[in-house]
């Protein structure tokens, strides 16, 4: 019942296919679930219960007050995911909240990513001269229209790299990192050698999303990202899909040609022509690792400094 699996189950059920969704857990979301404290401790502390002092130290918080994402992500207000949610009408099952703000760390201090011109001028992220260069760059980005050469200022962004565009505006290394990772959301430095048009398009998406709510470009399901697979599972169920939680998949069954034809859980077997799931459900020889991600979940009894009016982080 991961997000991808539930999304596909909903779409396939709408197309009239017979779909069975199986999950070893007793909750929706798989590895992208939003867990309360009890389920979180059971998953990572060998079934232990969260200590009572934990709730007391957090002002008498209750188990249901927590929805902790195993794979936390914000949703860009005008991104492709929002378009999918609107097109499939699963938004009828979800409530969203705009994010108070996003933050970066510079030299050990937390700084808010500016969301307005006044915040940008007051921010200590950049010096005064660098702010002017940054402002000129953002004006160029906002005015740029791919189909209007008069807004290109002589730059061919399809042949010019992102690094060359930064150099043209004399932006320093930190500002480049800030733009590329905190705004354009590139996960590595490879984008610097890619065509600059990709950087501008990513920044335009950020800018348009930011204008929607003013405080940040991101929105978030009220009860965690686990609400997304749950919403698509409702679409699947309404259209005839079957869901089995707390049911392990003990074996993938293959024929003599090596093609999968079924799954076995205990003494029960389900047959199908297509199998979709996260790698942990499949034999190791059928899985190829492409990378690793290390995540850390920190639960604080206080807010870090410099968060302004933000209520959580």
């Amino acid at each position: 019942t991961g997000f991808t699996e539930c999304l596909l189950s909903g779409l396939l059920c709408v197309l009239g296919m017979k779909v069975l969704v199986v999950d070893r857990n007793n909750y929706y979301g798989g590895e992208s679930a939003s867990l309360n404290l009890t389920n979180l401790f059971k998953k990572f502390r060998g079934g232990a219960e969260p200590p009572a002092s934990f709730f007391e130290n957090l002002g008498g918080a209750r188990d249901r007050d927590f929805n902790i994402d195993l794979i936390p992500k914000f949703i860009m207000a005008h991104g492709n995911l929002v378009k999918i949610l609107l097109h499939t009408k699963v938004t009828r099952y979800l409530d969203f909240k705009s994010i108070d703000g996003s933050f970066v760390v510079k030299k050990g201090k937390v700084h808010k990513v500016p969301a307005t011109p006044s915040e940008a001028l007051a921010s200590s992220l950049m010096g005064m001269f660098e702010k002017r260069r940054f402002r000129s760059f953002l004006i160029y980005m906002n005015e740029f229209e791919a189909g209007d050469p008069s807004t290109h200022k002589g730059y061919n962004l399809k042949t010019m790299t992102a690094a060359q565009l930064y150099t043209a505006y004399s932006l320093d290394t930190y500002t480049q990192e800030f733009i590329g990772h905190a705004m354009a959301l590139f996960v590595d430095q490879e984008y610097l050698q890619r065509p600059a048009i990709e950087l501008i398009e990513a920044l335009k998406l950020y800018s348009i999303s930011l204008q929607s709510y003013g405080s940040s470009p991101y929105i978030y399901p009220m009860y965690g990202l686990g609400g997304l697979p749950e919403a698509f599972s409702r679409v699947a169920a309404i259209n005839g899909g079957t869901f089995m939680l707390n049911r392990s998949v003990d074996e993938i069954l293959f024929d003599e040609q090596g093609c999968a034809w079924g799954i076995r859980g205990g003494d029960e077997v389900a047959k199908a022509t297509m199998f979709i799931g996260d790698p942990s459900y499949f034999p190791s020889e059928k899985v190829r690792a492409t990378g690793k991600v290390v995540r850390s979940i920190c639960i604080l009894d206080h807010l870090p400094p410099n968060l302004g009016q933000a209520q959580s982080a």
Side-chain angles (χ1 to χ4, degrees):
T1 62
F3 174 55
T4 303
E5 291 85 353
C6 282
L7 186 153
L8 290 172
S9 73
L11 298 180
L12 294 175
C13 285
V14 169
L15 292 174
M17 298 183 72
K18 296 174 66 176
V19 176
L20 169 66
V21 184
V22 181
D23 199 305
R24 64 170 69 95
N25 301 302
N26 62 356
Y27 51 79
Y28 288 90
E31 294 305 310
S32 57
S34 300
L35 304 182
N36 58 34
L37 281 182
T38 297
N39 283 333
L40 187 73
F41 271 71
K42 285 181 178 179
K43 183 174 180 65
F44 294 108
R45 292 292 177 86
E49 294 287 334
S53 60
F54 196 94
F55 296 98
E56 295 167 2
N57 292 338
L58 292 171
R62 296 161 298 179
D63 199 30
R64 65 175 181 270
D65 292 330
F66 293 87
N67 291 283
I68 302 168
D69 290 331
L70 298 183
I71 303 180
K73 294 181 181 181
F74 286 155
I75 301 172
M76 194 71 78
H78 276 266
N80 286 332
L81 179 54
V82 170
K83 295 176 183 177
I84 291 173
L85 296 175
L86 291 172
H87 179 74
T88 55
K89 296 181 174 62
V90 300
T91 48
R92 71 184 73 176
Y93 307 122
L94 292 165
D95 292 317
F96 289 90
K97 177 176 172 40
S98 62
I99 300 303
D100 292 329
S102 53
F103 303 82
V104 295
V105 176
K106 181 181 181 183
K107 295 180 179 179
K109 293 185 177 180
V110 177
H111 299 267
K112 186 178 186 299
V113 176
T116 64
S118 59
E119 283 187 357
L121 289 174
S123 174
S124 57
L125 281 169
M126 304 173 193
M128 183 55 66
F129 293 109
E130 185 65 13
K131 286 178 181 177
R132 292 177 181 176
R133 292 189 285 267
F134 178 55
R135 180 176 179 274
S136 297
F137 177 81
L138 292 184
I139 289 175
Y140 172 72
M141 178 272 295
N142 280 315
E143 292 179 348
F144 179 87
E145 295 293 340
D148 185 358
S150 65
T151 65
H152 299 185
K153 295 190 176 180
Y155 301 137
N156 185 343
L157 299 191
K158 293 183 178 180
T159 58
M160 189 181 199
T161 66
Q164 291 171 333
L165 182 61
Y166 284 147
T167 301
Y169 280 88
S170 303
L171 298 174
D172 68 24
T173 301
Y174 175 76
T175 304
Q176 294 179 26
E177 292 181 352
F178 175 79
I179 293 171
H181 302 307
M183 297 177 66
L185 304 182
F186 291 112
V187 297
D188 53 38
Q189 297 293 84
E190 291 184 3
Y191 83 94
L192 289 171
Q193 305 309 318
R194 300 280 303 164
I197 186 65
E198 296 178 11
L199 171 63
I200 293 300
E201 288 174 347
L203 291 174
K204 277 189 166 293
L205 172 60
Y206 181 95
S207 178
I208 294 171
S209 298
L210 182 60
Q211 293 169 19
S212 298
Y213 300 104
S215 58
S216 86
Y218 309 113
I219 58 176
Y220 188 75
M222 281 289 290
Y223 302 103
L225 284 176
L228 295 178
E230 286 190 33
F232 279 102
S233 69
R234 289 190 183 186
V235 174
I238 290 171
N239 288 277
T242 301
F243 285 77
M244 297 177 68
L245 297 181
N246 222 9
R247 165 64 72 175
S248 63
V249 176
D250 299 321
E251 184 182 6
I252 307 290
L253 304 172
F254 297 91
D255 61 22
E256 294 179 354
Q257 286 72 43
C259 295
W261 62 267
I263 60 173
R264 179 182 64 81
D267 296 329
E268 296 181 306
V269 171
K271 299 179 181 181
T273 56
M274 182 190 303
F275 301 86
I276 300 169
D278 77 59
S280 67
Y281 284 90
F282 295 92
S284 58
E285 64 270 18
K286 299 287 186 180
V287 176
R288 178 172 57 89
T290 58
K292 293 185 178 181
V293 176
V294 177
R295 296 187 175 88
S296 177
I297 298 173
C298 302
I299 303 174
L300 309 179
D301 60 4
H302 64 282
L303 288 176
N306 302 329
L307 293 194
Q309 299 299 313
Q311 295 300 306
S312 63

